Amino acid sequence: MISDKKHIQQLAALLLKKGITDIVISPGSRNAPMINTFSGIPELICRNIVDERSAAYFAIGLALSRQNPVALVCTSGTASLNYAPAIAEAFYQNIPLIVLTADRPDYWIDQVESQCIRQDGIFQNFTKKGVSLPLGESEKELWFASRQINECLNLAVSGNPAPVHINIPLEEPLHHLMEAELPEVREIELADIQTTLDENEFDKLADTIHQSQKILILAGQLNPNPGLENCLAEFASKTGAVVLHEHLSNLSDPQFCGSIDLLMAAIQDENHVDFQPDLLITLGGQLVSKSLKQFLRKNKPTQHWNLNLGGEHFDTYQSLTKVIKTDAADFFVAFSDRIRSSEKSYLQQWKSIEVQVNQLRDKFAESTEFCDLKAFELIGQKIPVNTVVHLGNSSPVRYALIHNQVENAMYFSNRGTAGIDGCLSTAVGFASDSDKMNTIILGDLSFFYDSNALWNKYIGSNLRIIVIHNGGGNIFGMIKGPSDSPAFDEHFFTGNNHKAEVLAKAFGLDYFKAENETELVQTLDEFYSPEQQQAALLEIFTDSEVNTRLFRELFRNVKVNF
Ligand SMILES: Cc1ncc(C[n+]2csc(CCOP(=O)(O)OP(=O)(O)O)c2C)c(N)n1
Ligand SMILES: [Mg+2]
């Protein structure tokens, strides 16, 4: 059975034509025509999540796992506004969400009518396109709506992918159903033609590459992409370029350099010039390391090329000289036959420091008392290889990046806007579609903020949640500014005595806890053992003051040893 509303029938038919089959529905009544139609079509996979904020973050995780757009469906009013945080995250992480909000007819807006807000264009700052469909069902209105839907669905995946918003005013009756097939719809395709640079331009770029003694390639957040990794490795080994990456770049070739924050601590001011690049090539999204951003803003490269498909002008290091509108893998492949081998002293310089800072870090973490830094080291040793790791914002992502990557693991994090409000929901959405073990490591405030992530029936046995319970927002103690404020305790740190245990049990998860190193090592073995057949939560208790002290001491230790 499907709704008799013709716009909704068209919408369902176009979603199918475009291969968008994953739908996350939040219950309501104005969206009944969508609920009835989508759930009545066997090819559409409908999931149900009550909390729209969580539903939209869940959809991000699902879209990342499927590498395909995911549609969201909600009712009118504040339900729609609750999508906003995840839409912003998806916008800045280039994730195609198809946001479908039911609305009242526009003549009832602002008329003391129930569950009505001004929904037209509410996500305009964070979507590639937003439309409101016409209410009527005349031939002309149906043609107009189908054009709007086609355009939105196409734009979501062209260039740099992004969310799109289709607002759908609906009139009563909302529940008229009919036994019918979906209508034939006209699909408008958007053909993205791959353009390549002309030979002259390639030669000019190759000349610059050959003339540059110090080439630095900086990879921000990227989805796993073995093809890119291979051609980047080939380019780097020929040119002697240094490739700096974070875990979230999902690159792991041993000639690349990680441990960025520690490297930055080791490079003394008087040596900056040796590390300052002549040519900086950037790709991917956000970078976590603030110290590297500061280093590059201070020690500007002569040239900075940014590779991105949408041709955006990302001048993060205030030195951008060329935007290259390309897929990064295509760019590096194109140079494989055009470049000669160069000497590698710049690379050796970075590599030798990397080896030394990693040794210092390991020695420090091994000898130190129990704290977040140590907990992350132990967790990293026990997370099974070839699994998925989700990193919560605040200090978890920073601690994880200090330590080595888990072998063959994929890394994800909501770094588009670095919110703490949907880290768990995103991980749950990803895990629900994954056949691998999925671990999310997040802080106590982040866990409580997003505990509704567990309020759905898609929690699989492959989910492992690690809550680092340091009694509040420990990050604020680690950074100068908040830590010196008289309002630190009450309004920055925000002491938190609640335990995750009750919530874990309420949602049917097995609960584990650890308060010291011995307990943690033992518990991690059980937590990841094959006998652990259902989702589990491990809460690790640490002392925020010890954490802050040892975090600072690690960096001081690195600084004084160089
Ligand atoms: C939605 C949102 N609100 C507020 C913040 C600001 N913020 C950044 S970190 C943080 C504290 C997080 O505490 P917790 O999750 O316990 O992690 P910890 O700092 O202890 O590692 C807050 C409130 C944010 N990033 N996102
Ligand atoms: Mg905390």
Side-chain angles (χ1 to χ4, degrees):
M1 299 282 267
I2 58 172
S3 164
D4 65 353
K5 302 276 186 213
K6 293 209 172 82
H7 293 312
I8 303 301
Q9 295 174 1
Q10 268 194 155
L11 173 62
L14 282 167
L15 287 171
L16 279 175
K17 285 230 172 192
K18 304 277 183 199
I20 301 167
T21 53
D22 290 290
I23 323 266
V24 181
I25 294 173
S26 295
S29 119
R30 189 60 44 171
N31 52 346
M34 281 190 273
I35 298 181
N36 285 324
T37 304
F38 297 163
S39 62
I41 298 166
E43 294 91 331
L44 295 179
I45 308 159
C46 295
R47 296 162 178 86
N48 173 280
I49 295 182
V50 177
D51 175 340
E52 287 86 5
R53 179 200 48 81
S54 174
Y57 276 114
F58 179 100
I60 288 184
L62 193 55
L64 280 169
S65 168
R66 293 189 94 61
Q67 288 297 299
N68 204 39
V70 171
L72 283 160
V73 175
C74 74
T75 191
S76 62
T78 55
S80 60
L81 276 178
N82 275 290
Y83 281 160
I87 294 175
E89 173 63 32
F91 184 72
Y92 289 108
Q93 226 195 112
N94 296 129
I95 296 171
L97 297 182
I98 313 298
V99 183
L100 308 172
T101 54
D103 198 359
R104 311 267 161 151
D106 61 357
Y107 48 78
W108 282 130
I109 309 298
D110 294 345
Q111 298 305 307
V112 204
E113 175 55 84
S114 163
Q115 223 176 316
C116 280
I117 63 168
R118 300 170 201 172
Q119 280 179 214
D120 190 29
I122 39 171
F123 305 124
Q124 63 181 353
N125 280 341
F126 309 114
T127 47
K128 218 186 234 178
K129 183 152 186 96
V131 297
S132 277
L133 299 188
L135 186 63
E137 297 190 344
S138 70
E139 205 176 310
K140 217 185 251 174
E141 284 160 313
L142 285 168
W143 159 76
F144 178 39
S146 100
R147 194 188 76 210
Q148 288 177 307
I149 298 167
N150 264 294
E151 189 174 351
C152 282
L153 301 186
N154 286 343
L155 289 179
V157 291
S158 85
N160 284 335
V164 291
H165 177 207
I166 305 178
N167 186 49
I168 309 169
L170 289 156
E171 228 163 3
E172 291 172 23
L174 300 165
H175 288 272
H176 274 183
L177 298 183
M178 55 197 272
E179 196 75 64
E181 298 282 303
L182 289 176
E184 266 307 310
V185 284
R186 182 165 50 97
E187 181 187 6
I188 305 173
E189 291 181 56
L190 175 64
D192 269 336
I193 294 189
Q194 299 286 339
T195 48
T196 50
L197 295 173
D198 70 36
E199 291 298 313
N200 266 346
E201 186 70 25
F202 266 127
D203 290 343
K204 273 203 267 174
L205 296 181
D207 280 349
T208 306
I209 290 169
H210 289 135
Q211 283 155 19
S212 305
Q213 306 291 319
K214 296 181 287 176
I215 303 175
L216 187 64
I217 300 174
L218 180 53
Q221 184 166 18
L222 288 164
N223 287 329
N225 182 344
L228 169 65
E229 172 133 29
N230 291 340
C231 51
L232 191 54
E234 193 188 329
F235 182 91
S237 65
K238 267 198 185 161
T239 57
V242 174
V243 178
L244 286 184
H245 68 110
E246 296 181 328
H247 300 14
L248 299 171
S249 325
N250 285 298
L251 300 169
S252 57
D253 192 285
Q255 67 176 310
F256 302 162
C257 286
S259 305
I260 294 181
D261 275 337
L262 294 175
L263 279 168
M264 287 298 114
I267 298 173
Q268 306 295 338
D269 285 359
E270 61 271 23
N271 298 331
H272 275 182
V273 69
D274 299 337
F275 292 87
Q276 177 179 29
D278 302 329
L279 171 62
L280 172 69
I281 305 177
T282 52
L283 60 143
Q286 292 276 351
L287 190 79
V288 179
S289 173
K290 203 170 165 186
S291 55
L292 179 58
K293 275 184 211 153
Q294 285 166 341
F295 172 86
L296 287 170
R297 283 176 192 159
K298 200 165 146 222
N299 301 284
K300 294 189 174 54
T302 317
Q303 297 214 38
H304 171 199
W305 302 345
N306 177 257
L307 317 178
N308 82 82
L309 258 180
E312 308 284 347
H313 287 52
F314 296 129
D315 193 7
T316 320
Y317 309 103
Q318 301 165 310
S319 54
L320 187 66
T321 50
K322 198 178 277 285
V323 177
I324 306 179
K325 221 173 149 181
T326 180
D327 171 73
D330 292 347
F331 175 85
F332 292 110
V333 165
F335 282 98
S336 64
D337 296 332
R338 286 185 163 86
I339 42 176
R340 306 182 293 271
S341 283
S342 314
E343 58 110 19
K344 309 209 163 37
S345 59
Y346 187 53
L347 175 61
Q348 281 151 7
Q349 196 177 303
W350 282 88
K351 269 283 166 203
S352 91
I353 297 205
E354 191 199 22
V355 171
Q356 295 172 62
V357 292
N358 285 349
Q359 280 168 356
L360 275 172
R361 170 204 64 193
D362 291 345
K363 216 168 111 200
F364 184 87
E366 206 181 285
S367 60
T368 201
E369 66 199 278
F370 191 58
C371 62
D372 283 355
L373 180 76
K374 179 116 184 169
F376 271 86
E377 191 203 19
L378 300 171
I379 294 166
Q381 290 164 1
K382 296 284 181 180
I383 292 178
V385 300
N386 197 23
T387 60
V388 183
V389 182
H390 303 269
L391 299 173
N393 280 313
S394 198
S395 66
V397 66
R398 291 180 173 81
Y399 280 119
L401 265 51
I402 289 174
H403 295 293
N404 291 335
Q405 289 177 217
V406 174
E407 197 186 320
N408 233 343
M410 293 196 265
Y411 281 89
F412 296 95
S413 181
N414 285 347
R415 292 304 300 176
T417 63
I420 58 163
D421 49 349
C423 307
L424 187 54
S425 295
T426 302
V428 167
F430 193 106
S432 73
D433 183 59
S434 166
D435 52 11
K436 296 183 173 188
M437 174 75 75
N438 276 243
T439 302
I440 159 98
I441 315 172
L442 78 174
D444 51 323
L445 297 194
S446 307
F447 172 76
F448 282 96
Y449 198 134
D450 190 22
S451 60
N452 269 1
L454 302 176
W455 186 28
N456 63 63
K457 47 181 201 279
Y458 311 107
I459 310 292
S461 57
N462 61 342
L463 183 69
R464 297 289 178 275
I465 302 168
I466 302 183
V467 178
I468 307 290
H469 199 315
N470 46 30
N474 207 160
I475 188 91
F476 298 120
M478 289 151 64
I479 48 181
K480 289 264 172 229
S483 62
D484 304 327
S485 162
F488 174 74
D489 279 337
E490 192 172 354
H491 294 297
F492 290 101
F493 183 66
T494 318
N496 167 43
N497 294 323
H498 300 288
K499 310 258 182 332
E501 178 168 12
V502 187
L503 280 175
K505 293 199 169 145
F507 290 114
L509 270 69
D510 285 346
Y511 176 80
F512 297 80
K513 72 169 180 173
E515 288 177 303
N516 57 48
E517 185 175 347
T518 320
E519 276 178 20
L520 181 57
V521 172
Q522 265 172 14
T523 313
L524 282 166
D525 284 333
E526 279 177 62
F527 194 62
Y528 286 115
S529 87
E531 281 78 56
Q532 180 54 41
Q533 293 282 336
Q534 69 154 14
L537 184 149
L538 163 60
E539 192 170 22
I540 302 173
F541 294 92
T542 59
D543 182 302
S544 62
E545 281 174 19
V546 176
N547 292 333
T548 303
R549 175 167 53 77
L550 293 172
F551 178 81
R552 290 186 177 166
E553 227 170 276
L554 168 68
F555 284 93
R556 215 173 304 125
N557 194 287
V558 171
K559 269 192 197 328
V560 298
N561 275 286
F562 278 86

